Amino acid sequence: MTTRKTIIATILGTIVLFLFDGAFQAIPNFGVRAVERLETNELTAPKFNELTDRMAYIATDQTVSFVATKQANFYNLSKFFVIEFLSAFVIALLFALLFAKIKFGSLKDRLMLTLGFALIASFAIHIPYFNWWGFSFAYTIGVVSKTVLGWTLITFIQNRFIFKIK
């Protein structure tokens, strides 16, 4: 495979993955949309300010809540889009470099390899968060689905249309 094809596969993969992830995150009650906003009250707000950039948990006699606390200015949509785009770029680049170097395998083989990678990543990252940190089932299924479907989609596009694998 040529460098030109690898660059095109990376650019196209980045754009597709960035748009796919954004659209997928907009699905109500699924993935990121499954996270609810709670209003603070006078008893908790000062303590949260003390916890900035740290993890904490709140335990009652019936529940445990894990909290990741950041300054309000951390939640900046422009910054999130840039980081999300860079993340999509790195994923697309790594897949383009991998599949540009592989000299064997049909499109189906490459899709199955990607599915394997996506499942490994999901079980290594998302399932422990579900298990140890109590991330909701809807959120976990959402991010696992986004990973599996998004990575499979860019693998299909890169290999079928750029690298011309059948």
Side-chain angles (χ1 to χ4, degrees):
M1 304 289 170
T2 67
T3 301
R4 182 176 176 269
K5 284 185 178 182
T6 304
I7 292 168
I8 292 169
T10 300
I11 292 168
L12 186 59
T14 300
I15 293 166
V16 167
L17 189 59
F18 180 76
L19 294 174
F20 175 82
D21 284 355
F24 203 89
Q25 290 180 30
I27 298 172
N29 301 317
F30 201 52
V32 174
R33 290 287 188 199
V35 179
E36 296 178 45
R37 179 186 172 121
L38 300 176
E39 295 301 323
T40 59
N41 64 40
E42 290 146 10
L43 297 174
T44 59
K47 187 63 178 174
F48 286 144
N49 289 337
E50 293 174 23
L51 295 172
T52 299
D53 294 323
R54 295 179 16 216
M55 297 291 293
Y57 69 93
I58 301 166
T60 70
D61 58 339
Q62 305 227 346
T63 63
V64 175
S65 302
F66 291 97
V67 180
T69 308
K70 295 285 189 185
Q71 292 290 331
N73 64 1
F74 173 84
Y75 295 94
N76 176 308
L77 216 50
S78 296
K79 181 182 81 172
F80 286 166
F81 280 138
V82 168
I83 292 171
E84 193 72 21
F85 190 83
L86 290 174
S87 175
F89 173 80
V90 170
I91 293 166
L93 174 64
L94 292 173
F95 274 117
L97 290 172
L98 172 72
F99 290 119
K101 296 296 179 192
I102 291 178
K103 304 293 184 207
F104 62 89
S106 66
L107 180 60
K108 180 181 174 186
D109 294 337
R110 291 167 182 231
L111 289 170
M112 293 305 293
L113 184 61
T114 299
L115 178 62
F117 289 153
L119 290 172
I120 290 167
S122 293
F123 274 87
I125 299 164
H126 304 308
I127 302 304
Y129 287 160
F130 169 77
N131 179 42
W132 289 100
W133 295 101
F135 283 25
S136 73
F137 183 75
Y139 174 83
T140 302
I141 291 301
V143 293
V144 167
S145 298
K146 181 178 76 80
T147 301
V148 169
L149 295 173
W151 289 12
T152 303
L153 176 64
I154 66 166
T155 293
F156 177 79
I157 290 169
Q158 287 178 334
N159 283 281
R160 179 68 183 97
F161 300 110
I162 309 298
F163 298 135
K164 307 288 187 194
I165 304 297
K166 295 184 189 241

